[in-house]
Amino acid sequence: MATEEAVQPDASLASPERIAAFKADLVAFLGEKLYSPEQPWDIAVFEGYGRGLVATRDIAVNELIFLDRPILVGPRVNNYDVIFCASCCRIQKRLTLCSGGCRLPICADCDRSAAPETPHTAECTVITSWQPKDQKRYCKTILYALTSIRAMLLNDLESRIVFNMEGHAPRKDMITEIDRLLKDQIFANLPEGSPNLTFLRRIVNVLNTNAFETFRIVQDEENNDHEIILRGLYILGALMNHHCLANVRYVFDENQVMWCHASRPIRKGEQIFNNYSKVLWGTQHRIIHLWFSKHFLCECERCRDVT
């Protein structure tokens, strides 16, 4: 583990002016349905952590701390055991590719031919502008990169929020989904060094540092429910720093909204912590996981406890 150095928080993100502007953008993104000034959290700076969430008053066990929605959501970078529409996640009994030539599986309702504008039209336009090769064949590499590609469609507010998040470069031995697009020569018009490729690599760094696993429940043609595992970029959720003894628990509802509750009483001024590993893992397992996935060595009291 000594071959690479631990990643330090980006100090430039922690100035009072940037935090105030960042919070204002985040509140605007969440809107009145998800944010209320009565919610007991704020953004603060903690030594050794950088930015994090702090309790603005005493929080009772099981009390709702915040609601969050994904600023980006899409397929994870893993194999799936079913074929589904890349736009709405509807299960496909037979593989049907988008008529626009983006090489993604798309259902009839989301296909570009279904209407002048469908939920898939904008992302398909972006992908086809890079001139995919072999357009009549399904391309898993594009599906795995789709969450990053969707960042090309963010508005100015959303882009400011995303690029105010930490984004750690991948390990030297790691090939990201964007690197794979280049390595496999998927596109004729996405060259190394292009602004689009530079943008996508920045997005991948932010996603790999901050994204959560979420899901969507969809039905197949026989009305059987399927859970499609996705990854989502939840900004408030990602602002919680790690502790192996977290003080929150969270769930996602059918609309992919994150509900974050206190798992134990939290005192005013205390940091609001998530656990980036699994609570039942042993110390060595947790430390290795955090080092390779999050680029830091945990020094919480649980990890320091030799028993």
Side-chain angles (χ1 to χ4, degrees), residues 146-213:
L146 185 57
T147 309
S148 300
I149 292 170
R150 284 176 175 163
M152 304 287 295
L153 305 174
L154 295 175
N155 60 35
D156 290 344
L157 172 70
E158 294 164 342
S159 294
R160 282 200 309 271
I161 292 172
V162 168
F163 287 121
N164 265 288
M165 297 300 291
E166 297 270 2
H168 303 154
R171 300 191 312 270
K172 295 178 182 178
D173 61 341
M174 180 180 177
I175 298 178
T176 70
E177 57 269 35
I178 302 305
D179 295 329
R180 180 63 64 184
L181 291 174
L182 215 63
K183 183 179 177 66
D184 294 351
Q185 300 182 350
I186 301 298
F187 298 111
N189 189 33
L190 189 64
E192 182 67 82
S194 65
N196 283 339
L197 199 64
T198 300
F199 176 91
L200 290 171
R201 283 188 168 133
R202 287 185 66 190
I203 292 295
V204 163
N205 292 347
V206 172
L207 284 170
N208 288 344
T209 304
N210 300 287
F212 286 77
E213 184 177 281

Side-chain angles (χ1 to χ4, degrees), residues 24 40 52 102 126 135 187 217 224 264 303:
C102 67
V126 170
Q135 293 187 8
F187 298 111
I217 301 296
N224 299 308
R264 60 172 175 80
C303 288

Side-chain angles (χ1 to χ4, degrees), residues 283-301:
T283 299
Q284 185 177 17
H285 194 171
R286 295 195 315 275
I287 289 175
I288 292 173
H289 167 77
L290 292 169
W291 177 261
F292 283 105
S293 66
K294 300 298 182 181
H295 307 278
F296 71 86
L297 290 173
C298 183
E299 297 181 352
C300 73
E301 54 265 36

Side-chain angles (χ1 to χ4, degrees), residues 208-276:
N208 288 344
T209 304
N210 300 287
F212 286 77
E213 184 177 281
T214 184
F215 66 92
R216 188 168 183 175
I217 301 296
V218 296
Q219 293 184 327
D220 59 23
E221 294 176 354
E222 284 78 35
N223 294 322
N224 299 308
D225 287 343
H226 294 263
E227 182 181 85
I228 304 298
I229 302 299
L230 304 169
R231 64 172 174 168
L233 181 55
Y234 291 81
I235 302 299
L236 260 181
L239 286 172
M240 292 187 290
N241 286 314
H242 167 79
H243 197 292
C244 291
L245 298 171
N247 52 19
V248 302
R249 56 180 172 79
Y250 59 86
V251 295
F252 300 99
D253 67 18
E254 65 277 8
N255 296 314
Q256 298 171 331
V257 171
M258 175 190 283
W259 294 66
C260 183
H261 295 81
S263 59
R264 60 172 175 80
I266 304 173
R267 301 292 298 273
K268 178 180 179 180
E270 188 178 344
Q271 189 168 179
I272 298 170
F273 281 118
N274 187 19
N275 187 343
Y276 298 173

Side-chain angles (χ1 to χ4, degrees), residues 100 102 112 117 120-131 153:
C102 67
R112 294 189 66 168
E117 289 287 335
H120 175 62
T121 300
E123 63 194 23
C124 181
T125 301
V126 170
I127 294 168
T128 53
S129 71
W130 298 329
Q131 299 174 17
L153 305 174

